[in-house]
Amino acid sequence: MKLFVYHTPELVPAEGKAACAIAIDVLRATTTIATALAAGAEAVQAFSDLDELMEVSEEWAAEKRLRAGERGGAKVTGYDLGNSPLDCTPELMQGKRLFISTTNGTRCLERIQGAAAVLTAALVNRQAVVRYLLNHQPETVWIVGSGWEGSFSLEDTVCAGAIAHSLMQESDLDHLAGNDEVAGAVALYTQWNDRLLELLHHASHGKRLLHLDGEDDLKYCAQVDVLDILPMQQTSGVLMNHG
């Protein structure tokens, strides 16, 4: 198994396909996806385009769907939800499909959806992802951060490092690392693993969310291994729990 970390979707190779590709958007799309599935959502369907989301979700009965739209950290007018995992309560989610479009995370998913297996990861479900990788041993694994509008983000890279660091209990870095970014991500996680909330406060998107009264979201997203949920793509853009 070889790991490749890409800080943004734009850095993913145009040629070739991974045996397994993992989208990360700690703040907040992949945290929200895992939380929605843990709360009983039937599935989460991700879109990069808001108009397409509206068109497809119209095919579902109103009582069986929820629409989540976020741009720039704020809820899109006319949607049921924004992108806060704290809104994903069992009362709201049970038996429904969550149709979601966010600034960065859903775009990342779209970029990697051609891989043989597509997962989403966040700090909250890190160990479920690690367990899948150890059990299935895919030959090539692309771990792709969503970043922020094409730029590197601390929180996605530290999550990639958390995954790689856990895998290093079974294999050393030299055998695992397919590119230098893996070592960089592991170093970031090793430096900050006991201060992840503080790191999220330093992150540029963390600061954006704080301006939007998002402190509780940051506290939630900084938790590690609290959800035994493995979101996996079933058909293009549709994620279900395989934990």
Side-chain angles (χ1 to χ4, degrees):
M1 180 165 55
K2 280 288 184 188
L3 303 183
F4 297 82
V5 169
Y6 300 104
H7 296 311
T8 69
E10 291 80 6
L11 294 172
V12 172
E15 301 299 321
K17 289 183 180 179
C20 178
I22 303 168
I24 297 176
D25 186 4
V26 171
L27 297 176
R28 294 164 288 173
T30 57
T31 304
T32 297
I33 288 166
T35 304
L37 292 172
E42 171 263 334
V44 178
Q45 191 160 349
F47 298 84
S48 58
D49 183 76
L50 288 166
D51 291 336
E52 186 184 359
L53 183 159
M54 277 298 192
E55 186 179 329
V56 173
S57 63
E58 278 297 324
E59 298 169 11
W60 286 69
E63 67 274 11
K64 287 292 186 181
R65 71 174 185 233
L66 286 166
R67 293 165 172 155
E70 171 265 316
R71 289 294 183 269
K75 176 176 171 285
V76 178
T77 303
Y79 282 69
D80 302 306
L81 305 166
N83 187 21
S84 173
L86 300 179
D87 292 337
C88 297
T89 61
E91 296 77 20
L92 200 57
M93 294 288 149
Q94 190 64 45
K96 294 178 184 172
R97 178 166 293 204
L98 180 64
F99 296 87
I100 187 170
S101 181
T102 72
T103 306
N104 302 295
T106 49
R107 189 168 50 86
C108 180
L109 262 172
E110 191 173 77
R111 180 68 186 84
I112 64 170
Q113 64 188 17
V118 176
L119 314 174
T120 68
L123 293 168
V124 292
N125 70 322
R126 184 270 307 256
Q127 199 54 45
V129 172
V130 169
R131 187 170 63 243
Y132 173 88
L133 295 175
L134 290 174
N135 287 342
H136 293 269
Q137 293 288 323
E139 187 176 353
T140 53
V141 180
W142 293 354
I143 306 177
V144 186
S146 298
W148 176 264
E149 296 183 346
S151 297
F152 170 94
S153 68
L154 283 170
E155 67 276 7
D156 294 343
T157 301
V158 84
C159 182
I163 293 168
H165 184 268
S166 193
L167 291 170
M168 282 167 56
Q169 314 311 310
E170 302 285 329
S171 181
D172 63 36
L173 184 62
D174 285 344
H175 283 99
L176 277 174
N179 62 2
D180 287 355
E181 287 88 338
V182 176
V186 169
L188 183 68
Y189 174 72
T190 303
Q191 180 74 22
W192 289 92
N193 68 84
D194 58 350
R195 296 177 293 144
L196 290 170
L197 179 57
E198 184 182 344
L199 181 68
L200 265 54
H201 277 246
H202 286 302
S204 60
H205 191 38
K207 292 175 181 174
R208 280 185 210 97
L209 290 176
L210 288 173
H211 286 304
L212 296 166
D213 296 323
E215 173 69 25
D216 288 343
D217 273 11
L218 292 191
K219 288 178 181 175
Y220 182 85
C221 293
Q223 299 176 102
V224 181
D225 300 341
V226 294
L227 297 179
D228 190 17
I229 295 290
L230 182 70
M232 178 181 282
Q233 181 173 266
Q234 298 305 295
T235 57
S236 184
V238 178
L239 299 146
M240 300 178 87
N241 178 35
H242 279 254

